Amino acid sequence: MTKVTGNFSQLQQQLDVERRLVSFDSYDMTIKQIYDMFAEGHIFVPPEYQRQFVWDAVRESELIESVFLGIPVPSLFMATNADATWEIVDGVQRLSTVAHYIGDNSDLLESINRKGALELDKLEKLTTLNKQKFEDLPKSVQLMFMTRPIRVTVLNDKSDLSVRFDLFERLNTGGILLTNQEIRNCIYRGKFNDSLKKISKIDDFKTVVRLRESDSKNGTAEEYVLRYMAYLYNYENFEKSVKGFLNDYMKVNSEKALPAKKASMFKQVLSVLAIAFPHGLSRGQSTITPANLFEAISVGTALAIEEGVQIDTQKLRALVADSELKKITTAGTNNKRMVTGRIHYVRDYLK
């Protein structure tokens, strides 16, 4: 009994710490109301969601058929922005399918990467609708479709950004899931986010940081820059969660453009690394740049430069094969001692 009581006590402590203010509004809205809000720009689809427009015509047709038949469609989940617009959190495929089907707004179709209205295909129950577009239907049937209800749940502005990140992460159920950085790009939009995107495109960075083809357009490059900034200027406050650490740094700095001094230091560091690693910073047979290795090398190099060290690129190249550095930059080494240890190890090695 004592063991059970202790477990429940620990559970209650975790609930008290982790439970956050989550405030929702729920609406039963018609297809027309949702479509009009989307067409008028009152529902925002973040650019990061563009990768999720992957449903083919058959999958989209199945959803439209479900709406016609009155089969419950999963709720759309939105978050309220500061200007009172809504931002899609979960349901981008369903929202874009409705817009694709109604198809009377060319700008809206372009925004969801569609060239024309949806022609229904391979329906099993409403077979007479096959090869038909919305505009082909009698007005009465169009009205029936437009007045069908869909449940919409909206996270209102009483909930903080940390809650919004958790919800984006947990409710993001599209065909292609967002990465953590794409979620940050949605939530912490602002001058700092713009700076990360801009500086991740400099040539020296692209020379040094080699990513998988699948990571080339999903925010991974911006996350590497964020890791450099967060660790260089805040590594002493790192605890144990990389995701939370990066979230907090982005949250605090979201409205601030990257200061010129920090941008200049980043470019200086990457210029040195590009000379040392003209074929990319990697280890062994791999051509991909490990995040932990990039953090250690880039931040340690920056700290050494700040102390007036003239960086020896040959030492940098040799450092990648160093057995001690390898030990503290492999998987499972993201605790405070290891993070601080590898940054200081590189700094002191170069001094």
Side-chain angles (χ1 to χ4, degrees):
M1 181 64 68
T2 303
K3 182 177 180 180
V4 174
T5 303
N7 287 342
F8 276 114
S9 176
Q10 183 180 8
L11 172 61
Q12 187 60 54
Q13 289 177 357
Q14 290 178 339
L15 286 170
D16 291 342
V17 171
E18 298 297 335
R19 184 182 291 153
R20 301 168 183 171
L21 175 64
V22 184
S23 185
F24 300 96
D25 297 310
S26 294
Y27 308 90
D28 287 316
M29 300 180 64
T30 65
I31 292 285
K32 178 173 173 51
Q33 288 173 316
I34 295 168
Y35 177 76
D36 287 346
M37 286 188 68
F38 190 23
E40 293 167 11
H42 299 151
I43 294 177
F44 175 68
V45 178
E48 288 73 20
Y49 272 72
Q50 299 299 318
R51 293 195 303 119
Q52 292 205 340
F53 297 140
V54 295
W55 277 9
D56 59 20
V58 174
R59 183 77 183 276
E60 289 184 309
S61 297
E62 289 174 352
L63 177 72
I64 299 302
E65 184 180 47
S66 295
V67 173
F68 271 119
L69 293 172
I71 296 172
V73 173
S75 298
L76 298 177
F77 203 103
M78 311 280 183
T80 304
N81 293 319
D83 61 0
T85 59
W86 292 350
E87 181 168 330
I88 189 77
V89 176
D90 184 56
V92 64
Q93 299 276 21
R94 300 188 290 280
L95 180 63
S96 61
T97 295
V98 167
H100 187 198
Y101 182 53
I102 296 173
D104 64 357
N105 184 314
S106 59
D107 290 338
L108 191 58
L109 288 173
E110 184 177 351
S111 75
I112 60 172
N113 298 329
R114 303 301 189 191
K115 294 182 179 179
L118 172 66
E119 181 180 283
L120 300 182
D121 192 25
K122 297 185 179 178
L123 299 183
E124 296 183 356
K125 296 186 181 299
L126 301 179
T127 55
T128 55
L129 288 179
N130 283 326
K131 305 304 178 183
Q132 300 292 310
K133 297 180 180 179
F134 182 74
E135 65 181 16
D136 300 326
L137 303 179
K139 293 295 182 183
S140 59
V141 179
Q142 290 182 359
L143 180 61
M144 180 178 64
F145 178 81
M146 294 294 264
T147 54
R148 290 293 188 187
I150 292 184
R151 188 74 168 173
V152 181
T153 302
V154 184
L155 176 69
N156 64 39
D157 55 7
K158 294 178 183 177
S159 300
D160 65 26
L161 293 178
S162 298
V163 170
R164 186 178 289 205
F165 183 93
D166 287 347
L167 289 172
F168 265 69
E169 185 178 42
R170 292 167 187 264
L171 295 176
N172 174 222
T173 59
I176 301 176
L177 299 185
L178 298 183
T179 65
N180 285 338
Q181 189 58 34
E182 286 178 307
I183 297 175
R184 294 186 191 103
N185 291 345
C186 294
I187 296 171
Y188 305 116
R189 288 194 301 272
K191 295 179 180 178
F192 184 71
N193 187 33
D194 294 340
S195 296
L196 292 183
K197 291 182 178 181
K198 181 177 179 180
I199 206 166
S200 69
K201 292 179 171 59
I202 66 174
D203 289 339
D204 285 338
F205 178 79
K206 290 189 286 187
T207 295
V208 173
V209 176
R210 298 300 175 90
L211 304 174
R212 296 179 181 85
E213 181 63 29
S214 59
D215 290 333
S216 62
K217 296 180 180 179
N218 66 5
T220 300
E222 296 101 288
E223 181 170 299
Y224 272 57
V225 180
L226 174 61
R227 284 170 178 261
Y228 164 90
M229 296 294 172
Y231 283 112
L232 177 57
Y233 299 108
N234 199 37
Y235 71 89
E236 292 178 346
N237 293 317
F238 178 82
E239 292 300 331
K240 57 183 180 179
S241 168
V242 174
K243 180 173 64 179
F245 178 68
L246 297 180
N247 288 354
D248 290 344
Y249 191 83
M250 223 170 152
K251 180 179 179 180
V252 169
N253 292 281
S254 61
E255 298 304 319
K256 311 168 190 173
L258 185 65
K261 184 177 180 180
K262 292 183 179 180
S264 178
M265 172 59 77
F266 179 78
K267 292 175 182 177
Q268 184 178 353
V269 169
L270 269 295
S271 176
V272 171
L273 297 186
I275 295 172
F277 308 105
H279 303 295
L281 173 59
S282 59
R283 179 183 277 140
Q285 299 299 312
S286 174
T287 59
I288 306 302
T289 303
N292 287 357
L293 181 61
F294 174 74
E295 293 161 9
I297 294 290
S298 62
V299 176
T301 299
L303 292 177
I305 291 174
E306 287 180 341
E307 293 187 18
V309 176
Q310 293 293 320
I311 304 300
D312 184 336
T313 54
Q314 289 187 349
K315 289 186 73 174
L316 264 178
R317 282 192 289 270
L319 185 55
V320 172
D322 183 87
S323 59
E324 179 62 24
L325 183 64
K326 185 175 182 180
K327 186 172 22 175
I328 56 180
T329 55
T330 51
T333 59
N334 284 324
N335 57 61
K336 186 168 186 175
R337 181 176 64 85
M338 289 291 194
V339 167
T340 302
R342 61 187 176 232
I343 290 172
H344 288 174
Y345 187 82
V346 172
R347 177 199 62 186
D348 296 341
Y349 186 97
L350 295 173
K351 286 169 65 172

